[in-house]
Amino acid sequence: RLVNFAAAQGFGVFVLGEIMKFHPVTLVNCLTPPRVYDLFHPGADDRLPARFLHAFCCYKHAQGLGCQEEGRKVHKLLLRRAKLQDLRKVPYGPLRSWLSKLWLDVPSTRPERQIVAGCCARWVADKATPQEEKVPCLALMRQEFELRQRPEAEAWIVSVLLEQVCRDPIGHSPDLQHFLWVLRCGPGSAVLKPLLSSLAQERGRLATLWVCLCLWAPQPQPQDHAVAPPWPQG
């Protein structure tokens, strides 16, 4: 119960980490999903307990165990703290960042595909989020793209990008351009023509979109590296 006290949270999580190194099966049996809330204290830093939970769920996943409830608990905790009903609107923070890493590395923690894609699109568009923290979201969007058939997949990723730019023409992040790396080449006319035709019905919107895209400074493709370092081993 040490993790329930802000001053002792770090030590409490450290003890749990040591137990996971030497007695992981015992920890899995004792650390049930309702206990996830006990790891996070509102007056303490979320980074260490979130990293521990990620390592814990990765262990369960490697053993063929599901982590649906753990993912659901983090989802609910973020909404409760932000006093929101829509996970996409939760502001950037360590716990939100670790949730995207958890979704990437432990698929059983993910909610419906539509929710994951919607969150990832909004979080990549968030200027307040450091670019390196967007790597898991970009990887998840690539996986969603690969689950679709071309040219429907191409139309989907381009429409997601345009939707986020139109949603917030001034405040969006140019990191949205990284969605286009999955295309490997420019989208064809079969993809762009219907999208632009629908936008052309609103001349002002099309002009705003064109100006926004022209202002983007080209960025290199993000490096494909491990997004979550493993929990230290003994």
Side-chain angles (χ1 to χ4, degrees):
R1 303 287 291 179
L2 284 172
V3 293
N4 286 324
F5 302 95
Q9 185 196 43
F11 178 68
V13 174
F14 170 78
V15 170
L16 289 173
E18 291 299 297
I19 295 172
M20 187 169 68
K21 290 178 190 177
F22 302 107
H23 305 286
V25 176
T26 300
L27 188 64
V28 167
N29 292 333
C30 295
L31 188 56
T32 56
R35 289 290 193 185
V36 168
Y37 293 136
D38 294 336
L39 294 172
F40 300 95
H41 191 282
D45 193 336
D46 289 329
R47 289 177 178 85
L48 187 60
R51 183 183 175 191
F52 165 77
L53 181 62
H54 175 271
F56 176 74
C57 289
C58 284
Y59 172 80
K60 289 186 65 176
H61 176 66
Q63 303 306 309
L65 302 173
C67 297
Q68 296 89 341
E69 286 302 314
E70 285 86 350
R72 199 169 291 128
K73 296 296 183 185
V74 177
H75 182 149
K76 290 181 179 179
L77 181 59
L78 282 167
L79 291 176
R80 188 171 67 193
R81 284 183 173 181
K83 298 179 180 179
L84 294 169
Q85 299 296 321
D86 188 344
L87 189 61
R88 296 174 301 174
K89 298 179 180 179
V90 171
Y92 168 71
L95 188 56
R96 194 193 80 175
S97 179
W98 276 99
L99 178 61
S100 63
K101 296 170 186 173
L102 195 60
W103 284 348
L104 179 62
D105 296 329
V106 187
S108 63
T109 62
R110 301 175 191 174
E112 293 83 0
R113 285 170 54 188
Q114 184 178 0
I115 294 176
V116 173
C119 288
C120 288
R122 183 73 70 94
W123 297 347
V124 171
D126 182 11
K127 267 188 175 180
T129 304
Q131 189 181 91
E132 62 271 15
E133 299 293 346
K134 298 177 181 180
V135 172
C137 288
L138 292 169
L140 287 162
M141 292 296 279
R142 182 175 67 244
Q143 289 180 8
E144 178 63 26
F145 176 87
E146 291 170 350
L147 288 172
R148 299 167 183 258
Q149 298 293 320
R150 292 177 183 265
E152 186 265 338
E154 295 179 351
W156 171 75
I157 198 70
V158 173
S159 66
V160 167
L161 184 154
L162 298 180
E163 178 185 335
Q164 291 302 317
V165 175
C166 292
R167 181 185 60 81
D168 189 357
I170 297 175
H172 71 271
S173 169
D175 292 338
L176 285 165
Q177 66 187 270
H178 294 304
F179 286 159
L180 299 179
W181 286 109
V182 299
L183 298 177
R184 301 186 183 277
C185 61
S189 58
V191 172
L192 289 177
K193 188 173 180 179
L195 291 174
L196 294 177
S197 296
S198 62
L199 288 170
Q201 297 174 11
E202 302 176 50
R203 299 289 179 85
R205 190 180 186 191
L206 182 58
T208 300
L209 180 62
W210 179 255
V211 171
C212 290
L213 297 181
C214 288
L215 290 175
W216 283 359
Q219 298 180 8
Q221 185 173 9
Q223 293 298 312
D224 223 357
H225 54 75
V227 297
W231 189 263
Q233 299 299 309

